[in-house]
Amino acid sequence: MAVSKCTRLTGPLTKQVLDSVDSVLFDCDGVIWRGDQAIPGAPEVINSLKKAGKRVFFVTNNSTKTRKMYAEKLGKLGFEASKDEVFGTAYCSAVYLKTVCNLQGKVYLIGSNAMKQELEAIGIESVGVGPDPVSGGQKDWASVPLDPEVKAVLVGFDEHFSYMKLNRALQYLCNAECQFVGTNTDTRLPLEGGKAVPGTGCLLKAVETAAQRHAQVVGKPSSFMFKCMANQFGLDPSKCLMVGDRLDTDIMLGSTCGLKTLLSLTGVSTIADAEEHQRSGCPKRQGMVPDYYVDSIAEILPALQA
Ligand code: PLP
Ligand code: CA
């Protein structure tokens, strides 16, 4: 069907593409909402897809909420959604530690309360959430008290990130047996008006630099998030469409996992970015060229109402 990549999804092609898939995976920020506001038309698109018998999933690198919190947010914004359809990095990191790392012990968590809750829900105890209890005046930082039961360091979004947390993570990671996992590598979180704030990638880079180790990353573009939902729902990659606003995370994940890909221009990446990857001829960058693009997912609504 997709003879050339980066094709605008309009007219009869929209229906053709939707008919060729049974599941649609939506990135969240920049595709179905921006901050606390739904993208106009997005709830109608998702609810209509479901009515048409498609499975819908919500896939976000944002580690600050549990599945339940996302389901509540989705409901408030007008989306029909259940928590089982949500795959966020707080939940997926907990699954990763349990099933891939086979963790037997506690986690030193640089992250949110939501991450602590998702770990707990899967039977993993964590320490470290909130401000570090040792705030200053310490003479011997390398001797900061550690929990001997900690067998992994997990780094996600943490508004209380500090030198002492970085130091503590390093002390744990000096032990080569201590596993090292990061939720995602997004370096910047874009805000309205061209503004931005530092993302989890900045915190993870700091810990990687201090520990002189690379973390195992759970979030997009790593294929784990897709594997996690494919396992639970028996998904056939060739019958899935990944919709995202970032070429380096969402579209790359889709390409790596063999999904059809659709770029929505309501978020971070532009069509010029995609064309630049395409023109580069670099094989690795071709994974960042989407099959299709739309100005907004609202554009697919007419095909669902036909
Ligand atoms: N991480 C954090 C902390 C965020 O606030 C956001 C977006 O709001 C993201 C990651 C990116 O989320 P998504 O994958 O839904 O675009
Ligand atoms: Ca996004």
Side-chain angles (χ1 to χ4, degrees), residues 46 95 130 158 175 214 218 233 236 264 277:
I46 276 146
V95 176
D158 189 341
N175 176 355
H214 287 293
V218 169
F233 290 87
D236 170 356
S264 169
H277 289 309

Side-chain angles (χ1 to χ4, degrees), residues 132-159:
D132 193 283
V134 180
S135 52
Q138 182 91 358
K139 293 255 158 34
D140 183 3
W141 277 326
S143 314
V144 71
L146 300 179
D147 185 329
E149 288 177 49
V150 166
K151 302 291 182 221
V153 169
L154 172 61
V155 181
F157 190 78
D158 189 341
E159 60 185 0

Side-chain angles (χ1 to χ4, degrees), residues 102-150:
N102 194 19
L103 181 70
Q104 310 287 326
K106 293 186 195 170
V107 165
Y108 175 59
L109 175 61
I110 292 182
S112 58
N113 239 312
M115 292 174 69
K116 184 182 172 66
Q117 286 170 34
E118 291 290 22
L119 287 165
E120 244 163 46
I122 217 164
I124 299 174
E125 212 181 312
S126 66
V127 295
V129 82
D132 193 283
V134 180
S135 52
Q138 182 91 358
K139 293 255 158 34
D140 183 3
W141 277 326
S143 314
V144 71
L146 300 179
D147 185 329
E149 288 177 49
V150 166

Side-chain angles (χ1 to χ4, degrees), residues 27-29 59-64 157 184 186 189 220 245:
D27 161 64
C28 295
D29 199 58
V59 193
T60 176
N61 271 0
N62 187 339
S63 60
T64 63
F157 190 78
N184 64 304
D186 301 44
L189 307 176
K220 302 168 287 183
D245 72 312

Side-chain angles (χ1 to χ4, degrees), residues 7-208:
T7 307
R8 181 183 270 278
L9 197 58
T10 55
L13 182 61
T14 312
K15 192 168 179 313
Q16 257 182 65
V17 171
L18 292 176
D19 283 348
S20 73
V21 299
D22 57 28
S23 306
V24 188
L25 285 56
F26 287 94
D27 161 64
C28 295
D29 199 58
V31 170
I32 64 165
W33 64 54
R34 245 194 250 113
D36 286 327
Q37 300 244 297
I39 299 269
E44 290 80 0
V45 167
I46 276 146
N47 300 346
S48 304
L49 280 168
K50 289 189 163 187
K51 239 178 237 139
K54 307 291 179 194
R55 276 181 300 203
V56 170
F57 298 98
F58 305 94
V59 193
T60 176
N61 271 0
N62 187 339
S63 60
T64 63
K65 287 186 173 65
T66 62
R67 301 179 104 183
K68 187 165 171 275
M69 291 155 108
Y70 278 121
E72 282 162 11
K73 174 172 179 174
L74 284 159
K76 263 190 210 137
L77 295 179
F79 297 91
E80 283 163 24
S82 80
K83 85 186 221 314
D84 297 345
E85 297 164 332
V86 177
F87 288 81
T89 48
Y91 168 71
C92 290
S93 299
V95 176
Y96 186 88
L97 282 162
K98 189 167 173 113
T99 61
V100 179
C101 301
N102 194 19
L103 181 70
Q104 310 287 326
K106 293 186 195 170
V107 165
Y108 175 59
L109 175 61
I110 292 182
S112 58
N113 239 312
M115 292 174 69
K116 184 182 172 66
Q117 286 170 34
E118 291 290 22
L119 287 165
E120 244 163 46
I122 217 164
I124 299 174
E125 212 181 312
S126 66
V127 295
V129 82
D132 193 283
V134 180
S135 52
Q138 182 91 358
K139 293 255 158 34
D140 183 3
W141 277 326
S143 314
V144 71
L146 300 179
D147 185 329
E149 288 177 49
V150 166
K151 302 291 182 221
V153 169
L154 172 61
V155 181
F157 190 78
D158 189 341
E159 60 185 0
H160 301 290
F161 187 73
S162 64
Y163 180 80
M164 192 48 77
K165 287 197 173 194
L166 179 59
N167 173 51
R168 214 181 272 277
L170 164 56
Q171 303 312 323
Y172 282 120
L173 290 168
C174 280
N175 176 355
E177 311 254 286
C178 183
Q179 309 209 53
F180 183 17
V181 175
T183 55
N184 64 304
T185 55
D186 301 44
T187 48
R188 275 182 170 207
L189 307 176
L191 304 176
E192 298 297 323
K195 290 186 172 177
V197 291
T200 305
C202 303
L203 315 187
L204 186 57
K205 264 277 179 348
V207 180
E208 287 184 320

